[in-house]
PDB file of all heavy atoms in Angstrom:
ATOM      1  N   MET A 183      12.345 -23.870  12.491  1.00 61.00           N
ATOM      2  CA  MET A 183      12.666 -22.521  12.619  1.00 61.00           C
ATOM      3  C   MET A 183      12.755 -22.003  14.015  1.00 61.00           C
ATOM      4  O   MET A 183      11.725 -22.162  14.759  1.00 61.00           O
ATOM      5  CB  MET A 183      11.846 -21.682  11.657  1.00 61.00           C
ATOM      6  CG  MET A 183      10.423 -21.526  12.082  1.00 61.00           C
ATOM      7  SD  MET A 183       9.327 -20.988  10.707  1.00 61.00           S
ATOM      8  CE  MET A 183       8.935 -22.525   9.902  1.00 61.00           C
ATOM      9  N   THR A 213       3.972 -14.384  25.185  1.00 94.00           N
ATOM     10  CA  THR A 213       2.945 -13.362  25.441  1.00 94.00           C
ATOM     11  C   THR A 213       3.155 -12.887  26.957  1.00 94.00           C
ATOM     12  O   THR A 213       3.976 -13.510  27.682  1.00 94.00           O
ATOM     13  CB  THR A 213       1.548 -13.954  25.295  1.00 94.00           C
ATOM     14  OG1 THR A 213       1.374 -15.026  26.217  1.00 94.00           O
ATOM     15  CG2 THR A 213       1.304 -14.406  23.886  1.00 94.00           C
ATOM     16  N   ARG A 219       0.229  -6.956  30.921  1.00 89.00           N
ATOM     17  CA  ARG A 219      -0.115  -6.568  29.591  1.00 89.00           C
ATOM     18  C   ARG A 219      -0.029  -5.030  29.309  1.00 89.00           C
ATOM     19  O   ARG A 219       0.200  -4.663  28.175  1.00 89.00           O
ATOM     20  CB  ARG A 219      -1.517  -7.112  29.168  1.00 89.00           C
ATOM     21  CG  ARG A 219      -1.477  -8.640  28.972  1.00 89.00           C
ATOM     22  CD  ARG A 219      -2.838  -9.142  28.557  1.00 89.00           C
ATOM     23  NE  ARG A 219      -2.851 -10.665  28.703  1.00 89.00           N
ATOM     24  CZ  ARG A 219      -3.824 -11.375  29.174  1.00 89.00           C
ATOM     25  NH1 ARG A 219      -4.889 -10.709  29.639  1.00 89.00           N
ATOM     26  NH2 ARG A 219      -3.738 -12.664  29.269  1.00 89.00           N
ATOM     27  N   ILE A 236       4.553  -9.260  16.694  1.00 98.00           N
ATOM     28  CA  ILE A 236       3.320  -9.172  16.005  1.00 98.00           C
ATOM     29  C   ILE A 236       2.292  -8.369  16.859  1.00 98.00           C
ATOM     30  O   ILE A 236       2.085  -8.768  18.034  1.00 98.00           O
ATOM     31  CB  ILE A 236       2.676 -10.555  15.693  1.00 98.00           C
ATOM     32  CG1 ILE A 236       3.733 -11.439  14.962  1.00 98.00           C
ATOM     33  CG2 ILE A 236       1.377 -10.416  14.840  1.00 98.00           C
ATOM     34  CD1 ILE A 236       3.241 -12.812  14.649  1.00 98.00           C
ATOM     35  N   ARG A 245       1.142   2.122  17.596  1.00 97.00           N
ATOM     36  CA  ARG A 245       2.196   3.156  17.373  1.00 97.00           C
ATOM     37  C   ARG A 245       3.034   3.243  18.587  1.00 97.00           C
ATOM     38  O   ARG A 245       4.337   3.389  18.462  1.00 97.00           O
ATOM     39  CB  ARG A 245       1.418   4.528  17.052  1.00 97.00           C
ATOM     40  CG  ARG A 245       0.716   4.639  15.786  1.00 97.00           C
ATOM     41  CD  ARG A 245       0.196   6.007  15.486  1.00 97.00           C
ATOM     42  NE  ARG A 245      -0.573   6.055  14.312  1.00 97.00           N
ATOM     43  CZ  ARG A 245      -1.946   5.969  14.330  1.00 97.00           C
ATOM     44  NH1 ARG A 245      -2.597   5.864  15.502  1.00 97.00           N
ATOM     45  NH2 ARG A 245      -2.706   5.960  13.185  1.00 97.00           N
ATOM     46  N   SER A 262      -2.766  -3.804  13.174  1.00 97.00           N
ATOM     47  CA  SER A 262      -3.622  -2.712  13.272  1.00 97.00           C
ATOM     48  C   SER A 262      -3.604  -1.961  11.960  1.00 97.00           C
ATOM     49  O   SER A 262      -2.895  -2.345  10.968  1.00 97.00           O
ATOM     50  CB  SER A 262      -3.213  -1.729  14.415  1.00 97.00           C
ATOM     51  OG  SER A 262      -2.207  -0.842  13.967  1.00 97.00           O
ATOM     52  N   ALA A 289      11.382  -7.529   4.556  1.00 98.00           N
ATOM     53  CA  ALA A 289      10.994  -6.276   5.222  1.00 98.00           C
ATOM     54  C   ALA A 289      11.342  -6.322   6.718  1.00 98.00           C
ATOM     55  O   ALA A 289      11.307  -7.416   7.357  1.00 98.00           O
ATOM     56  CB  ALA A 289       9.509  -6.020   5.018  1.00 98.00           C
ATOM     57  N   THR A 310      -6.650  -1.795 -12.324  1.00 98.00           N
ATOM     58  CA  THR A 310      -5.986  -0.438 -12.511  1.00 98.00           C
ATOM     59  C   THR A 310      -4.562  -0.614 -13.129  1.00 98.00           C
ATOM     60  O   THR A 310      -4.165   0.251 -14.003  1.00 98.00           O
ATOM     61  CB  THR A 310      -5.842   0.292 -11.166  1.00 98.00           C
ATOM     62  OG1 THR A 310      -5.209  -0.394 -10.259  1.00 98.00           O
ATOM     63  CG2 THR A 310      -7.379   0.658 -10.669  1.00 98.00           C
ATOM     64  N   ALA A 317      -8.282   4.987 -12.993  1.00 98.00           N
ATOM     65  CA  ALA A 317      -7.968   5.333 -11.565  1.00 98.00           C
ATOM     66  C   ALA A 317      -8.999   6.262 -10.908  1.00 98.00           C
ATOM     67  O   ALA A 317      -9.173   6.228  -9.751  1.00 98.00           O
ATOM     68  CB  ALA A 317      -6.620   5.922 -11.474  1.00 98.00           C
ATOM     69  N   TYR A 329     -20.111 -10.609  12.709  1.00 90.00           N
ATOM     70  CA  TYR A 329     -20.018  -9.695  13.881  1.00 90.00           C
ATOM     71  C   TYR A 329     -18.660  -9.751  14.558  1.00 90.00           C
ATOM     72  O   TYR A 329     -18.329  -8.842  15.377  1.00 90.00           O
ATOM     73  CB  TYR A 329     -21.163  -9.883  14.771  1.00 90.00           C
ATOM     74  CG  TYR A 329     -21.269 -11.242  15.462  1.00 90.00           C
ATOM     75  CD1 TYR A 329     -20.373 -11.711  16.510  1.00 90.00           C
ATOM     76  CD2 TYR A 329     -22.176 -12.199  15.000  1.00 90.00           C
ATOM     77  CE1 TYR A 329     -20.536 -12.965  17.074  1.00 90.00           C
ATOM     78  CE2 TYR A 329     -22.348 -13.433  15.522  1.00 90.00           C
ATOM     79  CZ  TYR A 329     -21.489 -13.828  16.577  1.00 90.00           C
ATOM     80  OH  TYR A 329     -21.610 -15.071  17.138  1.00 90.00           O
ATOM     81  N   HIS A 358     -14.709   5.981   6.892  1.00 95.00           N
ATOM     82  CA  HIS A 358     -14.106   4.681   7.453  1.00 95.00           C
ATOM     83  C   HIS A 358     -12.665   4.729   7.287  1.00 95.00           C
ATOM     84  O   HIS A 358     -12.048   5.142   6.169  1.00 95.00           O
ATOM     85  CB  HIS A 358     -14.828   3.526   6.702  1.00 95.00           C
ATOM     86  CG  HIS A 358     -14.581   2.236   7.383  1.00 95.00           C
ATOM     87  ND1 HIS A 358     -13.388   1.565   7.462  1.00 95.00           N
ATOM     88  CD2 HIS A 358     -15.425   1.509   8.111  1.00 95.00           C
ATOM     89  CE1 HIS A 358     -13.497   0.457   8.121  1.00 95.00           C
ATOM     90  NE2 HIS A 358     -14.761   0.396   8.560  1.00 95.00           N
ATOM     91  N   ALA A 379     -21.078  -3.272   6.520  1.00 96.00           N
ATOM     92  CA  ALA A 379     -22.179  -3.719   7.410  1.00 96.00           C
ATOM     93  C   ALA A 379     -21.708  -4.963   8.155  1.00 96.00           C
ATOM     94  O   ALA A 379     -20.825  -5.621   7.776  1.00 96.00           O
ATOM     95  CB  ALA A 379     -23.400  -4.034   6.561  1.00 96.00           C
ATOM     96  N   GLY A 381     -23.347  -8.498   9.797  1.00 94.00           N
ATOM     97  CA  GLY A 381     -24.489  -9.429   9.778  1.00 94.00           C
ATOM     98  C   GLY A 381     -24.598 -10.259  11.045  1.00 94.00           C
ATOM     99  O   GLY A 381     -23.558 -10.185  11.870  1.00 94.00           O
ATOM    100  N   VAL A 388     -18.372 -10.896   2.590  1.00 98.00           N
ATOM    101  CA  VAL A 388     -18.664 -10.741   1.145  1.00 98.00           C
ATOM    102  C   VAL A 388     -18.621  -9.297   0.736  1.00 98.00           C
ATOM    103  O   VAL A 388     -19.236  -8.461   1.413  1.00 98.00           O
ATOM    104  CB  VAL A 388     -19.964 -11.424   0.721  1.00 98.00           C
ATOM    105  CG1 VAL A 388     -21.162 -10.786   1.393  1.00 98.00           C
ATOM    106  CG2 VAL A 388     -20.208 -11.337  -0.806  1.00 98.00           C
ATOM    107  N   LEU A 411      -7.967 -10.909 -13.931  1.00 98.00           N
ATOM    108  CA  LEU A 411      -7.837 -11.447 -12.590  1.00 98.00           C
ATOM    109  C   LEU A 411      -7.391 -12.876 -12.559  1.00 98.00           C
ATOM    110  O   LEU A 411      -6.534 -13.214 -11.685  1.00 98.00           O
ATOM    111  CB  LEU A 411      -9.317 -11.422 -11.889  1.00 98.00           C
ATOM    112  CG  LEU A 411      -9.899 -10.033 -11.596  1.00 98.00           C
ATOM    113  CD1 LEU A 411     -11.304 -10.177 -11.046  1.00 98.00           C
ATOM    114  CD2 LEU A 411      -9.037  -9.254 -10.671  1.00 98.00           C
ATOM    115  N   GLY A 417      -1.766 -19.588 -10.071  1.00 95.00           N
ATOM    116  CA  GLY A 417      -0.748 -20.198  -9.185  1.00 95.00           C
ATOM    117  C   GLY A 417      -0.696 -19.644  -7.782  1.00 95.00           C
ATOM    118  O   GLY A 417       0.048 -20.116  -6.967  1.00 95.00           O
ATOM    119  N   ILE A 459     -21.575  -4.817 -14.611  1.00 96.00           N
ATOM    120  CA  ILE A 459     -20.610  -5.840 -14.178  1.00 96.00           C
ATOM    121  C   ILE A 459     -20.541  -5.677 -12.586  1.00 96.00           C
ATOM    122  O   ILE A 459     -20.494  -4.600 -12.097  1.00 96.00           O
ATOM    123  CB  ILE A 459     -19.293  -5.561 -14.701  1.00 96.00           C
ATOM    124  CG1 ILE A 459     -19.240  -5.659 -16.301  1.00 96.00           C
ATOM    125  CG2 ILE A 459     -18.170  -6.601 -14.208  1.00 96.00           C
ATOM    126  CD1 ILE A 459     -18.058  -5.196 -16.924  1.00 96.00           C
TER     127      ILE A 459
END
Side-chain angles (χ1 to χ4, degrees):
M183 67 197 83
T213 59
R219 285 182 195 137
I236 306 179
R245 294 187 187 97
S262 82
T310 57
Y329 59 79
H358 196 285
V388 60
L411 293 175
I459 300 167

